[in-house]
Amino acid sequence: MNFGNESKVFIEPGIYLDVNVGVRAEGLRRTTFPQGGYSDLKGFRKGVSQSALNYGPSVGIGMKFPFLKKELMVKADYKLGLNDVVKYAGTVRNEYFKLMPGFRI
């Protein structure tokens, strides 16, 4: 879709494939005892077994327009992971939104 002679809006539907390079779990842990009560909070950090690939649908929308004799671009991108990426109790999937500015020189 064009606005005037130079501005353009674009939509990018598709699929994506991510290669995971590392997963680390870290946070605070508190144990609940069966007879009642809690342990003190303890910090933890450990590596987690993971799937090597993540994949799913992707959609992006953006706009390009002239700016100071160059071109400025703003794009929003959403990706929904369908693969269970971490071997853990339950389902852990990646889902993310990106907002990307760009400037063509």
Side-chain angles (χ1 to χ4, degrees):
M1 184 181 333
N2 296 336
F3 295 100
N5 293 334
E6 302 292 326
S7 297
K8 297 178 183 177
V9 173
F10 57 92
I11 298 174
E12 297 177 336
I15 58 173
Y16 77 97
L17 176 68
D18 280 345
V19 177
N20 296 322
V21 294
V23 174
R24 185 178 66 239
E26 58 183 276
L28 296 173
R29 178 181 4 217
R30 173 176 276 171
T31 304
T32 304
F33 300 114
Q35 63 273 25
Y38 304 97
S39 68
D40 292 334
L41 283 175
K42 294 180 182 178
F44 71 93
R45 175 184 280 182
K46 65 178 183 173
V48 176
S49 177
Q50 67 175 359
S51 170
L53 298 175
N54 189 28
Y55 52 85
S58 173
V59 66
I61 185 167
M63 184 172 183
K64 295 179 186 178
F65 50 92
F67 182 76
L68 300 175
K69 298 183 181 181
K70 306 294 180 193
E71 187 176 71
L72 185 64
M73 179 190 78
V74 178
K75 178 183 170 190
D77 195 28
Y78 175 76
K79 296 185 184 319
L80 175 63
L82 298 179
N83 192 21
D84 198 9
V85 294
V86 176
K87 309 299 183 222
Y88 193 70
T91 300
V92 179
R93 295 184 177 150
N94 285 341
E95 175 181 357
Y96 50 95
F97 175 80
K98 297 186 295 187
L99 183 61
M100 299 170 284
F103 187 70
R104 178 186 263 172
I105 51 175

